């Protein structure tokens, strides 16, 4: 068992997309034209990769500042209220009167999920909306959904370079690319200034190749730091400079997989800022991801630090 992290006084700034998730759950949830089906459950919760990571980090005891935009509407107020209720600082969230807040329809089974997203205000996050004092307030900067935040794609490299020059660590998660273009060159250049790159296995495969490719290190940028690849219930893989660390996931019976990867992100960032590395880093992140599958909606009921350690003590990774 890893040595416990007792507390962590750090400021994490998350520059991210915001939307509500409408979650339809059950085992027979695939829509069919001209057919009506009955599903097991329905929930409306705070969505978006960045928001779920923010709430999970706040629950672990980190001070989280969220920078983003929403529409000036009910869903926008819903997102801000939910973040506030989880202890996230929403001072820098702006309301736009020119568009609606984004919405994601999540069709969730015990095995996986499918997503349909209305973008709304998500592309409205632009470099000029970043607070001037951002780097002075941050110990760490994270963003999610690289491909959805179109207004920021060409600016992330400058922001992360400035952050690293200021002694601020950085991380990001790509999310899925709806256009399946993957922008490999942009991602590759950004990794020079990224302490933690956190894609899923499918995202990593589309950007660089399969995690088991014999020549995978030749495909990765020379100037990069740590890459943590999320492999679902199989655990996670950490690519260091010339070394690979694999850690198995925890055995759970999922209720809803929405937000599991984003909770993994939060666990990884938290443990990294606390000085954990390698196996300990992945095990803590895997535990956070597994716990998220036992709740509906990634941000709705996030565990605190004591819950994570209690879970790790009661459960062992699958192959250990």
């Amino acid at each position: 068992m890893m040595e416990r992290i007792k507390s962590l006084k750090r400021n994490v700034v998350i520059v991210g997309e915001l939307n509500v998730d409408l979650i339809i759950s059950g085992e027979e949830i695939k829509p069919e034209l001209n057919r009506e089906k009955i599903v097991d459950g329905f929930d409306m919760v705070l969505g978006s990769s960045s928001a779920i990571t923010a709430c999970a980090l706040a629950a672990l005891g980190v001070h989280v500042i969220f920078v983003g935009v929403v529409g000036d509407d009910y869903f926008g107020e819903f997102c801000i209220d939910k973040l506030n209720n989880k202890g996230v600082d929403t001072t820098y969230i702006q309301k736009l009167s020119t568009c609606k807040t984004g919405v994601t329809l999540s069709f969730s089974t015990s095995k996986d999920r499918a997503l349909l997203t209305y973008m709304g205000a998500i592309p409205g996050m632009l470099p000029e909306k970043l607070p001037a004092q951002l780097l002075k307030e941050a110990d760490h900067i994270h963003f999610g959904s690289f491909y959805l935040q179109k207004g920021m794609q060409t600016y992330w490299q400058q922001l992360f370079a400035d952050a690293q020059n200021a002694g601020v660590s950085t991380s990001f998660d790509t999310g899925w690319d709806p256009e399946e273009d993957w922008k490999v060159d942009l991602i590759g250049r950004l990794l020079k200034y990224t302490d933690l790159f956190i894609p899923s296995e499918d995202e990593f495969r589309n950007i660089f190749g399969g995690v088991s490719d014999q020549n995978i290190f030749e495909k990765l940028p020379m100037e990069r730091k740590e890459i943590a690849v999320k492999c679902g219930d199989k655990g996670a893989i950490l690519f260091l400079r010339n070394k690979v660390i694999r850690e198995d996931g925890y055995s759970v019976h999922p209720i809803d997989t929405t937000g599991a990867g984003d909770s993994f992100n939060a666990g990884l960032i938290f443990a990294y800022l606390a000085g954990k590395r390698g196996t300990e880093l992945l095990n803590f992140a895997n535990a956070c991801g597994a716990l998220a599958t036992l709740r509906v909606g990634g941000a709705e009921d996030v565990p605190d630090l004591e819950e994570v350690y209690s879970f790790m003590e009661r459960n062992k990774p699958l192959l250990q």
Side-chain angles (χ1 to χ4, degrees), residues 68-110:
V69 297
V70 292
D72 189 6
D73 52 28
Y74 172 77
F75 282 168
E77 287 289 348
F78 179 89
C79 292
I80 293 172
D81 288 346
K82 287 292 185 180
L83 287 170
N84 284 330
N85 290 340
K86 297 301 180 184
V88 177
D89 186 336
T90 61
T91 303
Y92 300 123
I93 296 178
Q94 300 179 40
K95 297 179 182 178
L96 305 180
S97 60
T98 55
C99 54
K100 299 177 182 179
T101 302
V103 177
T104 291
L105 296 177
S106 175
F107 300 88
S108 180
T109 73
S110 61

Side-chain angles (χ1 to χ4, degrees), residues 18-21 23 44-48 51-52 55 75 78-80 82-83 86 258 297-300:
L18 285 168
N19 60 268
V20 296
D21 274 358
I23 301 174
M44 185 174 86
V45 299
L46 175 64
S48 91
I52 295 170
C55 292
F75 282 168
F78 179 89
C79 292
I80 293 172
K82 287 292 185 180
L83 287 170
K86 297 301 180 184
T258 303
E300 202 65 13

Side-chain angles (χ1 to χ4, degrees), residues 18-37:
L18 285 168
N19 60 268
V20 296
D21 274 358
L22 304 179
I23 301 174
I24 300 166
S25 55
E27 298 306 318
E28 295 293 330
I29 58 170
K30 184 178 180 180
E32 296 182 48
L33 294 176
N34 299 314
R35 296 288 186 274
E36 181 174 1
K37 291 184 175 182

Side-chain angles (χ1 to χ4, degrees), residues 112-134:
D112 212 335
R113 60 181 183 152
L115 304 177
L116 295 174
T117 293
Y118 164 71
M119 293 283 279
I122 290 173
M125 182 62 213
L126 302 171
E128 55 265 30
K129 297 187 182 300
L130 294 171
Q133 65 272 34
L134 183 147

Side-chain angles (χ1 to χ4, degrees), residues 5-305:
I5 305 165
K6 295 181 180 178
S7 64
L8 188 60
K9 298 185 183 299
R10 295 287 190 276
N11 292 334
V12 176
V13 173
I14 294 186
V15 183
E17 78 292 2
L18 285 168
N19 60 268
V20 296
D21 274 358
L22 304 179
I23 301 174
I24 300 166
S25 55
E27 298 306 318
E28 295 293 330
I29 58 170
K30 184 178 180 180
E32 296 182 48
L33 294 176
N34 299 314
R35 296 288 186 274
E36 181 174 1
K37 291 184 175 182
I38 304 300
V39 298
D40 296 336
F42 171 80
D43 294 274
M44 185 174 86
V45 299
L46 175 64
S48 91
S49 171
S50 299
I52 295 170
T53 299
C55 292
L57 273 168
L60 292 172
V62 173
H63 180 231
V64 181
I65 303 166
F66 202 99
V67 179
V69 297
V70 292
D72 189 6
D73 52 28
Y74 172 77
F75 282 168
E77 287 289 348
F78 179 89
C79 292
I80 293 172
D81 288 346
K82 287 292 185 180
L83 287 170
N84 284 330
N85 290 340
K86 297 301 180 184
V88 177
D89 186 336
T90 61
T91 303
Y92 300 123
I93 296 178
Q94 300 179 40
K95 297 179 182 178
L96 305 180
S97 60
T98 55
C99 54
K100 299 177 182 179
T101 302
V103 177
T104 291
L105 296 177
S106 175
F107 300 88
S108 180
T109 73
S110 61
K111 299 293 185 183
D112 212 335
R113 60 181 183 152
L115 304 177
L116 295 174
T117 293
Y118 164 71
M119 293 283 279
I122 290 173
M125 182 62 213
L126 302 171
E128 55 265 30
K129 297 187 182 300
L130 294 171
Q133 65 272 34
L134 183 147
L135 294 180
K136 295 180 180 179
E137 296 190 24
D139 294 305
H140 183 91
I141 295 177
H142 173 80
F143 74 86
S145 299
F146 174 89
Y147 298 109
L148 298 186
Q149 295 197 74
K150 291 181 176 292
M152 293 292 294
Q153 284 180 355
T154 58
Y155 185 73
W156 292 124
Q157 184 176 335
Q158 182 64 57
L159 176 61
F160 274 25
D162 292 343
Q164 303 242 301
N165 288 335
V168 176
S169 55
T170 56
S171 62
F172 77 100
D173 180 356
T174 62
W176 187 261
D177 182 3
E179 298 174 358
E180 299 194 39
D181 175 63
W182 300 106
K183 294 182 167 54
V184 176
D185 289 341
L186 272 180
I187 296 290
R189 292 196 297 271
L190 181 55
L191 292 192
K192 177 180 179 180
Y193 307 102
T194 303
D195 290 290
L196 296 170
F197 175 44
I198 325 173
S200 72
E201 185 175 9
D202 284 342
E203 293 153 5
F204 183 84
R205 180 183 298 107
N206 279 284
I207 298 168
F208 294 120
V211 293
S212 299
D213 289 359
Q214 291 184 346
N215 61 341
I216 189 61
F217 279 103
E218 298 174 10
K219 300 178 182 179
L220 299 177
M222 290 294 295
E223 294 187 283
R224 60 175 171 81
K225 299 182 183 180
E226 299 189 19
I227 300 175
V229 181
K230 296 169 287 193
C231 302
D233 60 5
K234 295 180 293 183
I237 300 172
L238 187 66
F239 288 91
L240 304 176
R241 172 53 57 191
N242 292 301
K243 181 181 179 182
V244 177
I245 299 174
R246 300 172 185 264
E247 287 298 320
D248 298 304
Y250 290 83
S251 179
V252 295
H253 298 286
I255 296 172
D256 175 23
T257 58
T258 303
D262 308 314
S263 296
F264 176 100
N265 295 349
L268 195 80
I269 294 166
F270 180 85
Y272 183 87
L273 291 175
K276 302 299 180 183
R277 297 294 184 270
T279 295
E280 288 190 330
L281 182 70
L282 287 187
N283 278 338
F284 188 86
N286 280 337
C288 291
L291 267 171
T293 69
L294 304 180
R295 300 162 161 86
V296 174
E300 202 65 13
D301 183 17
V302 284
D304 61 20
L305 190 55

